[in-house]
Amino acid sequence: MSRSAHPAGPRHADVLPEGHYTAPPADLNHLDPKVWARTVQRDDDGVLTVGGLRVTRLAEEFGTPAYILDETDFRARCRAWADAFGKDADVFYAGKAFLSRAVVRWLHEEGLNLDVCSGGELATALSAGMPADRIAFHGNNKSEKEIRDAVAAGVGRIVLDSFQEIVRVAHIARELGTRQRVQIRVTVGVEAHTHEFIATAHEDQKFGIALAGGQAAEAVRRALQLDSLELVGIHSHIGSQIFDMAGFEVAARRVVSLLAAIRDEHGVELPEIDLGGGLGIAYTSDDDPREPHEIAKALNEIVTRECEAAGLATPRISVEPGRAVVGPTAFTLYEVGTVKPLDGLRTYVSVDGGMSDNIRTALYDAEYSVALVSRTSDAEPMLSRVVGKHCESGDIVVKDAFLPADLAPGDLLAVPATGAYCRSMASNYNHALRPPVVAVRDGEARVIVRRETEEDLLRLDVG
Ligand SMILES: *Cc1c(COP(=O)(O)O)cnc(C)c1O
């Protein structure tokens, strides 16, 4: 991603401050459909609407900050993923991106399966009626209780992540008198992030069992010896916010060569291969994510080709998109509290949330877009930084963005593409009350996760 300084600079300075920004957009009022949820548009008077509802009304009714989730978009994305991969493959939504009971019901209705990685996520999934056989359980250090609960519920697969866990799951399954379907998660020596991937030296991480050095082959050997485990496949997950399919290509090739080695050694062809998630979305207009059908086509071709070359029947493929399903479907609605121009630098715009509802900017240096949504404006573009209200100078929501120079307290701003890893990573830092998630669809709004209250906070504080 190449970004350059804006040639003209901010309007109130001769010298450009450091930053990652391009020239201001030709029209500050334009909403790029790439970064906004499907039903977002502007009313004639400039107010943003989603699901047919005006954000001014949503702010009045539900308060700010709030995550506003476009249910129509969410369901359409589920269907696009399910259709793209078809009935001979499985799509698992990665629940860690954002999970609630409403989300579980939508996934179920739209034909997706679900990845969970904790007892809490499992409990949420089961309580909303997701059939256990459509749930996969992940994690590098599942507790005995979590494993027991998952096996007892009858989850479709547990993804084994260490030698100790192979024995632990086998033991619990035997105790419960069942045979548990499992996959083994391997690290293929590929790490992919955004537009690049690195094909060596990434065994240095906590997840999975390395292909290198024969570790994964040894894990397979042990799992195959245990009667209470049914080893159905190999799992690989290479990174996040990936646009380039080359990393998946290398991963698939390495996983398929393990499948061939397993056939040669044990005479078994494992029937499943999971290529993980990590597919990128557009946070800004610079990002160009691929459509699910393009991703499905590319992955199917890679796996089919590699299996043919190895003389293997093509296994059943599964993928695990989280961000690419939910990320684009929601935006965070904030109210502007203060506007502070710093001469020669930029204007700091403070909103009523911050790193407690979106940690990604502080944690990953993530980029976001932002727009004034309670009206349009013809004012000049003003180089801005959208910051939160927390006692921390790193409390930044949008590092560099152009907003209209007449921005004032009381205006509503929206930050798009906050559906993934924002509410699910939200904290109570400064005893902030975590915002609600409001689902909108066909002119109706419904709270699916309510706003926290001071009572909620005090209830945990037992003195
Ligand atoms: C996080 C994770 C995913 C989902 O990643 P996204 O970037 O949200 O698509 C899928 N599979 C595994 C094993 C993960 O850890």
Side-chain angles (χ1 to χ4, degrees):
M1 204 184 312
S2 68
R3 300 195 137 205
S4 54
H6 169 229
R11 290 297 184 262
H12 52 270
D14 300 329
V15 186
L16 279 173
E18 287 288 305
H20 291 264
Y21 45 88
T22 49
D27 177 7
L28 277 183
N29 301 315
H30 174 67
L31 301 171
D32 184 348
K34 248 201 310 193
V35 300
W36 292 91
R38 195 161 307 219
T39 70
V40 163
Q41 49 190 35
R42 279 197 198 266
D43 260 356
D44 291 340
D45 64 353
V47 173
L48 182 144
T49 69
V50 55
L53 295 168
R54 290 160 66 81
V55 288
T56 42
R57 197 200 117 187
L58 292 170
E60 250 165 52
E61 191 169 344
F62 303 105
T64 53
Y67 304 100
I68 311 293
L69 192 155
D70 182 349
E71 181 182 340
T72 304
D73 193 17
F74 187 96
R75 288 177 180 272
R77 286 175 189 277
C78 290
R79 285 195 296 276
W81 279 93
D83 291 349
F85 279 85
K87 60 178 181 8
D88 297 325
D90 298 300
V91 180
F92 286 78
Y93 169 76
K96 70 181 192 212
F98 172 60
L99 198 65
S100 78
R101 287 193 275 197
V103 163
V104 173
R105 281 189 288 271
W106 302 338
L107 295 167
H108 188 186
E109 286 167 17
E110 304 298 345
L112 260 57
N113 307 287
L114 176 61
D115 269 0
V116 299
C117 61
S118 72
E121 289 183 2
L122 177 65
T124 304
L126 293 173
S127 81
M130 180 60 90
D133 63 358
R134 285 173 51 188
I135 299 174
F137 200 101
H138 282 266
N140 66 302
N141 187 17
K142 308 167 190 79
S143 71
E144 296 231 356
K145 178 182 186 311
E146 287 172 325
I147 295 169
R148 194 173 300 277
D149 289 348
V151 173
V155 298
R157 64 164 86 138
I158 293 181
V159 182
L160 302 172
D161 198 274
S162 67
F163 285 97
Q164 283 96 352
E165 198 174 73
I166 295 172
V167 178
R168 215 170 272 161
V169 173
H171 180 75
I172 290 169
R174 191 174 326 114
E175 259 181 25
L176 294 174
T178 178
R179 191 152 189 253
Q180 178 61 48
R181 290 166 50 88
V182 295
Q183 292 187 340
I184 291 175
R185 176 162 174 178
V186 302
T187 40
V188 294
V190 169
E191 182 164 291
H193 287 292
T194 63
H195 297 281
E196 289 171 3
F197 81 98
I198 304 167
T200 51
H202 279 278
E203 275 90 20
D204 192 2
Q205 55 142 317
K206 72 170 185 168
F207 289 111
I209 301 176
L211 275 181
Q215 295 282 298
E218 177 59 20
V220 168
R221 230 166 264 139
R222 295 193 193 175
L224 286 174
Q225 280 165 8
L226 294 161
D227 293 338
S228 58
L229 300 183
E230 181 188 355
L231 179 62
V232 293
I234 301 296
H235 181 283
S236 151
H237 173 74
I238 58 171
S240 60
Q241 186 62 358
I242 304 166
F243 293 95
D244 183 350
M245 298 305 284
F248 287 103
E249 174 134 20
V250 176
R253 194 176 311 136
R254 294 184 181 175
V255 169
V256 170
S257 48
L258 177 63
L259 293 182
I262 294 167
R263 175 206 50 204
D264 296 345
E265 182 178 343
H266 306 281
V268 221
E269 287 196 21
L270 298 185
E272 296 177 3
I273 164 172
D274 188 305
L275 293 171
L279 291 317
I281 63 165
Y283 285 103
T284 75
S285 297
D286 290 341
D287 296 324
D288 284 306
R290 300 197 180 196
E291 294 294 322
H293 68 91
E294 296 174 277
I295 292 161
K297 184 164 174 285
L299 293 182
N300 279 323
E301 277 173 11
I302 294 166
V303 174
T304 306
R305 189 181 62 230
E306 294 300 320
C307 286
E308 262 171 25
L312 289 163
T314 305
R316 190 174 176 89
I317 298 174
S318 49
V319 289
E320 307 174 314
R323 185 193 318 270
V325 175
V326 71
T329 68
F331 58 81
T332 313
L333 189 60
Y334 297 106
E335 186 178 296
V336 174
T338 68
V339 178
K340 194 186 284 184
L342 299 192
D343 241 8
L345 292 168
R346 70 191 94 238
T347 298
Y348 278 78
V349 176
S350 295
V351 295
D352 48 358
M355 64 192 294
S356 57
D357 58 72
N358 187 348
I359 192 66
R360 292 192 64 261
T361 307
L363 191 60
Y364 307 121
D365 212 20
E367 288 186 23
Y368 280 94
S369 334
V370 59
L372 169 61
V373 293
S374 47
R375 61 186 174 93
T376 47
S377 165
D378 296 325
E380 289 285 280
M382 158 177 90
L383 181 61
S384 309
R385 177 161 289 172
V386 179
V387 296
K389 60 180 289 169
H390 295 285
C391 300
E392 177 82 37
S393 51
D395 172 26
I396 297 169
V397 181
V398 186
K399 239 181 326 177
D400 299 291
F402 287 94
L403 286 165
D406 64 350
L407 196 71
D411 280 333
L412 296 179
L413 294 182
V415 174
T418 59
Y421 305 109
C422 286
R423 181 57 180 80
S424 68
M425 292 181 124
S427 78
N428 292 120
Y429 181 48
N430 293 149
H431 283 199
L433 305 170
R434 287 177 294 177
V437 182
V438 180
V440 296
R441 183 186 176 188
D442 299 335
E444 282 183 31
R446 180 164 68 96
V447 175
I448 60 171
V449 178
R450 74 158 166 79
R451 185 185 302 282
E452 269 176 336
T453 62
E454 285 170 8
E455 255 174 23
D456 291 329
L457 285 183
L458 290 170
R459 195 175 300 142
L460 299 180
D461 182 339
V462 293

